[in-house]
Structure formats: C-alpha cells, structure tokens
Amino acid sequence: MTDSLHLWLIPILPLIGTAINGFFGKRFSRQTVAAVALTFCGLAFAMALYVTARISSLELPHTELLAHWIRSGQFMVNFDFYLDQLTLVMLLVVTGVGLLIHIYSVGYMWEEGGFYRFFSYLNLFMFFMLTLVLAGNYLQMFIGWEGVGLASYLLIGFWFTKDSAASAGKKAFIVNRIGDFGFLIALFLMIKHLGSLNFTDVFSAVAKYPVETAGFGLLTSIGLLLMVGAAGKSAQVPLYVWLPDAMEGPTPVSALIHAATMVTAGVYMVARSHAIFNHAPNALTVVAVVGTLTALFAATIGVAQTDIKKVLAYSTVSQLGYMFMACGVAAYSAGIFHLMTHAFFKGLLFLAAGSVIHAVGGEQDMRKMGGLRQYIPVTFATMATATLAIAGIPGFAGFFSKDEILLHAYEANPIYWVLGVFTAFLTSFYMFRLLFLTFFGEYRGAGAEGSHGGGHGHGEQDHGHGMPHESPMIMLVPLMILAMLSVIGGWVWFGGVFEHFMAPVFGGGEGAATREAVSKTLEFTLMGVSTIAAFLGWFLALFLYVRNPALPQEIASALGGFYEAVVHKYYVDEFYTTLFVKPLVDGSTRILWHGVDQGVIDAAVNDTADGARHLSDAARQMQSGNLRSYAGWVAAGGALVLAYMVWMGVR
C-alpha cells in the first residue's frame, strides 16, 4: 500500500479560489481578487510538482479512492483519482501553463469590468480540467468534460452584453453538446457490454476481445463514438466551427482554453483510451483521416485570415489535427508530446497577440498594424520565438514533435505524410505572414495619425495612449518563460527520454518499431524534407509581405472566387446555418413557441385567469351593498335550510 499523495487537493484548490472570489470578490479590491486566484492556482501547481518529485517512488498506475460513488447491482463507480505518466504530463501542462496565464491575466484584465468574476471563472475552469485529467473512470472524466464546457461558455461569453460574444458562447456550448452525445452513448455501451467505467476494468475487459480487423464490432463502435466526443471538444472536422468564434472571449481565455488545455482534452481522451482504439483499427483509421484532413483544411483557411486571433484559432485547429493524426497511427507518445510543446508555443502566441492588441488599443486587424517591433521589442522577440517553434524550425520545440509525428505518419501511410508536410509548409507561411504583417514595415494603425486605436477587438478596453507601447512586466514575464519553454521544451524527446517515460502507459516500442521500419537515411531524408517545407513557407512570406507587399493583393484579385471562398472559410458556417440552424430555429419556434408555449403553457394560465374572472364577475353581482337585499338572501337561505330539515324528518 503506497502512501497517499492527496491528489484530491490538486483540483479542489482552484475550486476554493472560485468560491472565495465568486461569493466575496465583489467586495474585494482587485489586488485581493488577483491574490486569491493566483494563490490557489499556484498551490495546485506546487502540488503537481510535489507529485512529480514523488512519482519515482510510486507503483504506477497509482489510484486514490475518495468515495464510493455509484452502485447498482454488480455495476459500481468510485470517485477516485488516477495517476500515471500520462496524467502527470497533463497535470504539469494544465497547472504550469495555467498559472502563467493567470499571472498574465492580472495585467491584461486590470482595467476591465467584472474582474472578480473573470478570475472566479478562470479558477472554475482549472478545477474542472484537473478533475478531467485526474479522473479514474470515464464517468468522472465526463463530469470534468462537461464542466470545462460550462466554464468555456462562461469565459467565451464573458462580455455578455456583446451579442457576438454571447452568440459565440452559445455556439461553443451547443456544438460541444453534439460531440458529448457521442461520448455519452459510448459510456452506455461500456456499461452494458464491459460492465464498468473504471479505466483498469475497462482496459482489462477490452484485452479479452479480439482485434476487430473487419467490420464494425463493439469496440469499433465505442471508438468511433469516443472520437465524436473528441472531435467536438478538440474542434475537428466537422465540429470545428465553434473554436474560431470563441476568439470573442478575452485573449487570456483563448490562450488557456483554446490553445493549452481544454481543446487538448479530446486528444487526451483518445490517448487514454488507446487500449480500445488498438483493438479497433478501423476507428483508429478514422482518427487519422479526420486529423489529417482537419490539419490541412484549417491551415488553408489560416492563410487568408486578417484578424490576428483568428489566424491563431485556425492554427490551433490545424495543430490539433496533427495530434489526432499521431494518435490515429498509434503514435500516442508523439501526439502527447506535440500536445505539450503546442501548449508552450501556442499559449505564447495567444498571449503575445494579447500584448499586441493591448499595445494598439484593442485593434486585431493585422492590416492596421505593422512596424511594431520598434515599439514592443520584448513582445516581438517572444512572438518570433513561438513562430519559429510552430513553424518547425530546427532546434525549437515544434521541430521535434512535428517531425516525430510525420515519421510515424510516413510509416503508416505515405499519404498522411505528404499532406502533413504540405500542412507544415502552410503553417510556416501563415505564421511568418502574421509576424511580418504585425511587426515589419511601417506602422499603419490609427495611432500613426495621432489618435488611439479603435478598440476593434472582442471587448478589450482601449488601453492605448497614442502610439503603441510595451505591456507591463506582469504580462511580459509569462511571455519570457513560455518563450524559453518553446526553445528547450522539445529537447526532452532527444535520446528518447519522453518516449521512454511514456512507454509504460502505451506499451512502449512504438518509436522503436517505426525506426526499424525506416532506415536512418530515410529518417533524415524525411526530416530534411519537412525542414525545407518550413523554410520555404518562411521565405515565401518574406517575399510576399516584406519584399513585395503589393503582390498579395494582386494574387488575391487574380484568384477571384477561390480566394473569396478561403476568406469566408469555405462558407461552412453559412452551410450549417442553412441546413441545420434555420430549420431548427424555425421549427422550434413553431412547435415550442406557438404550440407548447402559447398553446399549452400560456393557454393554461390565461384560461385559468379567464375562468376566475368570469366566476368572480358572477359572484360580484351578489354584493349589491343593499341591506334589504342581504336580509332577503339570508331569509331565503334560512328557508332552504328549514325545508331541508323538514324533508329529512319526513323521510
């Protein structure tokens, strides 16, 4: 029996912060609100570090029972916490990056209304995300899964007086419910056929099933339903449409939820369920195909976006596709490794974008920026570091994780590799396009004419004062730390350190098998091709947006309708609106409003009121105010009573 690590403290600490700021934060000063939020988030990170220090002395997986939860006949689910190498990586990412974003948010949100409410929501999100990560069974995971959906709804719609923010929050909530329906059906199948939702029991039961190489058996069905849930939460085709709109929330929300943590929950769930997917190769193929297509599709859209946060949003969708591609070819360690490095450089990109928006008074259109590197040099240096990392330039974190995924993809199917390399080229191009439009050339913003930025952002206040200015240190320090991690974070793969660490979870040998399947020469050739693709994207962006800045508009005009289709995201939102939203809204209006609300609910209330009014009108006629009339009624009543008594006596 191993000593208890008190894992329950890790999620409960942010929940305490949520309760304190939620109930009392309105009476607190901003300093006190920030101190509460940062203290409890910091304590959760400290606990994660404590668990990391103790993990070598534990027998993994390590389970801690908190309470006996649900029992029905032979079926039982406990509320317990589950720790293994995969859990630890997720714990460190969620609490570590989450703490940095909390620190950054203090400076970014300082002048915004609802300061206490924002940090209460932020801590609430941390609680649910940590509950999801530490869950010892699928039901507990589902609670955290739904909880992060709720927290994201609150944070995306933080500026609830803005129609666009409120609509974006509802869109995220509804689209995620579609995916969650698949997840829930998968849980029902597990209960019925596997008899449990506990990870250890489910995986032991799955091991007794044969690999479903043909057709769609039980495990394939469960795997596909889990993938539906993962596609909703991690914004994969066709359920990706909520994430770009979610940029309506404050920029720190984009960094925390839509880059570093929540959107990776689907990847984590697929990796955690690897025992199921390994026995369902058809489901695994679907994961790979969906991930590959999502990576390419979102990258093509990112090429034409002009809103700095929208570019990063579609980049996130694309990078999540890479992670699913890795899981789909059973390279789970590579997928989780890219999840970790992506948290570093994409969290940094969003925070740096927030620093840019802060500098230019709320503007988000890159066409109205330019030349900012002379005004905000620290932001420029950190954002350039993150750009080099996501582009896959050798030596940076993204290079290691991206190339490992592409190596496994080539071994599984060269088509995945070709599409992955082309996506890497597009990624490099649109990210350097963002960097050059934002920081190079002449400043094109409103401040150049002596006025403030127009505050075209998603609710951010105009913090600008004339020309662009650097952010305060409380915002810059998290950028510097994440920039350092974006450089050195990838080196933990070197020598197979990360892969060896994750081997007990995924069975090990996945990287060795791949390297046996391809020669060293071919491995370096594949690496060289992807590196060339990254540099080509860099040089093409340099040629178009620095050397020949008028050329992109000429190319866009020449492409005509195709360019318009890309700018409008291939009209997918419009298609969904026409096919699903309007019929459902119109139908629900007709059935629910006119049929149920007016015909049943309102009718019941109104008819009751009308009946009472008619009855009272009739009774009111008896109240004439005439004493002789009242005496007559009393006499008549007395006569009736007397007649009744005589009648009864006769009988």
Side-chain angles (χ1 to χ4, degrees):
M1 180 71 179
T2 56
D3 293 335
S4 174
L5 297 175
H6 303 292
L7 295 173
W8 61 273
L9 280 172
I10 301 177
I12 211 69
L13 286 166
L15 184 62
I16 295 172
T18 295
I20 294 174
N21 276 333
F23 288 117
F24 310 110
K26 197 170 184 178
R27 306 170 192 167
F28 292 163
S29 66
R30 290 176 184 258
Q31 290 86 347
T32 304
V33 169
V36 169
L38 265 60
T39 296
F40 286 100
C41 185
L43 288 173
F45 178 56
M47 279 294 298
L49 292 177
Y50 168 72
V51 170
T52 304
R54 291 281 310 277
I55 197 164
S56 60
S57 63
L58 298 173
E59 181 181 346
L60 300 179
H62 170 81
T63 302
E64 292 186 6
L65 175 66
L66 187 64
H68 295 293
W69 191 14
I70 298 172
R71 183 187 296 272
S72 177
Q74 297 298 314
F75 176 73
M76 184 177 67
V77 178
N78 293 325
F79 202 96
D80 53 13
F81 296 98
Y82 187 89
L83 176 67
D84 63 2
Q85 292 83 351
L86 176 58
T87 307
L88 184 65
V89 171
M90 294 298 296
L91 275 181
L92 292 173
V93 167
V94 173
T95 57
V97 177
L99 177 60
L100 292 175
I101 294 172
H102 272 68
I103 295 170
Y104 174 95
S105 298
V106 174
Y108 193 85
M109 299 296 293
W110 191 259
E111 297 180 31
E112 299 287 350
F115 189 77
Y116 78 95
R117 183 165 52 87
F118 178 81
F119 279 98
S120 180
Y121 293 165
L122 218 56
N123 275 183
L124 180 66
F125 169 81
M126 293 289 288
F127 162 70
F128 281 122
M129 189 67 200
L130 291 168
T131 298
L132 188 159
V133 167
L134 282 164
N137 56 75
Y138 281 101
L139 184 58
Q140 197 173 327
M141 177 190 281
F142 188 73
I143 290 175
W145 187 275
E146 292 296 290
V148 294
L150 168 64
S152 69
Y153 166 76
L154 295 172
L155 286 164
I156 293 167
F158 177 74
W159 287 299
F160 54 84
T161 57
K162 287 185 62 182
D163 287 341
S164 56
S167 297
K170 287 185 287 187
K171 186 175 183 179
F173 196 80
I174 292 168
V175 173
N176 271 271
R177 298 294 74 71
I178 297 170
D180 296 349
F181 180 74
F183 192 178
L184 199 57
I185 298 299
L187 300 193
F188 293 155
L189 288 177
M190 290 183 199
I191 294 170
K192 179 174 177 58
H193 296 283
L194 303 180
S196 180
L197 292 177
N198 297 316
F199 292 148
T200 52
D201 296 337
V202 168
F203 300 155
S204 297
V206 166
K208 300 173 184 176
Y209 280 75
V211 176
E212 297 176 353
T213 54
F216 290 87
L218 171 65
L219 299 184
T220 302
S221 300
I222 292 175
L224 290 174
L225 289 166
L226 290 176
M227 181 55 193
V228 171
K233 193 67 71 183
S234 293
Q236 297 296 285
V237 170
L239 300 178
Y240 72 93
V241 291
W242 67 269
L243 193 144
D245 286 16
M247 297 303 108
E248 291 285 348
T251 302
V253 174
S254 304
L256 178 64
I257 294 181
H258 309 120
T261 54
M262 187 191 96
V263 291
T264 61
V267 181
Y268 167 74
M269 186 257 279
V270 171
R272 173 62 73 199
S273 307
H274 65 278
I276 296 173
F277 283 96
N278 287 344
H279 277 70
N282 288 332
L284 212 53
T285 299
V286 170
V287 174
V289 170
V290 168
T292 304
L293 293 179
T294 301
L296 178 61
F297 180 76
T300 62
I301 297 176
V303 165
Q305 299 303 303
T306 54
D307 183 312
I308 189 170
K309 286 176 68 176
K310 285 290 180 71
V311 175
L312 297 179
Y314 282 103
S315 172
T316 299
V317 176
S318 182
Q319 295 301 305
L320 289 165
Y322 258 116
M323 298 175 207
F324 277 99
M325 182 200 296
C327 292
V329 297
Y332 303 106
S333 293
I336 295 300
F337 183 55
H338 195 60
L339 182 156
M340 181 185 76
T341 60
H342 178 263
F344 299 152
F345 57 70
K346 184 55 65 64
L348 172 56
L349 284 168
F350 269 113
L351 295 186
S355 184
V356 169
I357 295 167
H358 179 275
V360 295
E363 184 60 70
Q364 292 184 204
D365 191 335
M366 297 184 296
R367 296 169 297 184
K368 299 179 182 179
M369 297 179 186
L372 292 179
R373 70 185 190 277
Q374 61 180 315
Y375 300 106
I376 47 175
V378 177
T379 299
F380 166 67
T382 55
M383 197 164 199
T385 301
T387 301
L388 292 168
I390 192 174
I393 302 303
F396 292 83
F399 167 77
F400 295 97
S401 55
K402 178 202 69 176
D403 269 34
E404 192 64 25
I405 291 173
L406 291 176
L407 175 63
H408 287 282
Y410 181 87
E411 195 269 335
N413 190 327
I415 295 176
Y416 297 151
W417 178 82
V418 171
L419 296 178
V421 169
F422 185 60
T423 300
F425 161 73
L426 292 177
T427 302
S428 178
F429 172 72
Y430 67 65
M431 286 308 307
F432 280 107
R433 169 181 175 265
L434 180 152
L435 195 72
F436 294 144
L437 280 174
T438 304
F439 293 99
F440 287 73
E442 297 297 324
Y443 179 54
R444 303 178 292 274
E449 286 82 40
S451 62
H452 291 189
H456 300 291
H458 294 262
E460 283 86 352
Q461 291 183 6
D462 182 358
H463 303 299
H465 302 285
M467 296 301 286
H469 57 285
E470 189 62 275
S471 300
M473 284 303 295
I474 196 169
M475 292 170 63
L476 294 180
V477 169
L479 298 186
M480 297 174 190
I481 296 172
L482 287 170
M484 180 181 66
L485 291 171
S486 296
V487 176
I488 66 173
W491 288 91
V492 297
W493 189 270
F494 199 72
V497 174
F498 187 88
E499 188 179 21
H500 177 74
F501 178 72
M502 299 299 294
V505 179
F506 301 123
E510 60 187 47
T514 300
R515 278 181 277 277
E516 287 175 7
V518 298
S519 66
K520 273 292 180 187
T521 303
L522 181 56
E523 183 180 345
F524 282 110
T525 301
L526 298 176
M527 187 183 300
V529 171
S530 63
T531 301
I532 291 171
F535 278 106
L536 281 176
W538 182 351
F539 293 140
L540 181 60
L542 180 68
F543 176 76
L544 290 176
Y545 294 97
V546 178
R547 306 299 184 200
N548 301 278
L551 191 56
Q553 186 57 48
E554 296 176 15
I555 295 174
S557 300
L559 291 174
F562 176 73
Y563 178 77
E564 286 298 313
V566 175
V567 169
H568 290 90
K569 290 89 72 178
Y570 301 110
Y571 301 102
V572 173
D573 281 294
E574 290 82 354
F575 174 73
Y576 283 177
T577 298
T578 303
L579 190 63
F580 300 113
V581 178
K582 289 193 71 175
L584 287 173
V585 170
D586 293 344
S588 63
T589 299
R590 183 173 62 255
I591 297 170
L592 296 178
W593 174 249
H594 295 295
V596 178
D597 193 65
Q598 289 186 330
V600 178
I601 299 173
D602 285 355
V605 175
N606 294 336
D607 290 349
T608 301
D610 288 342
R613 181 167 55 82
H614 291 311
L615 182 63
S616 63
D617 284 344
R620 188 177 59 185
Q621 301 304 317
M622 300 172 62
Q623 305 297 322
S624 62
N626 190 315
L627 291 176
R628 286 181 299 177
S629 175
Y630 291 161
W633 282 112
V634 170
L640 286 174
V641 171
L642 184 61
Y644 174 77
M645 294 175 65
V646 170
W647 174 257
M648 291 299 295
V650 171
R651 289 176 62 103

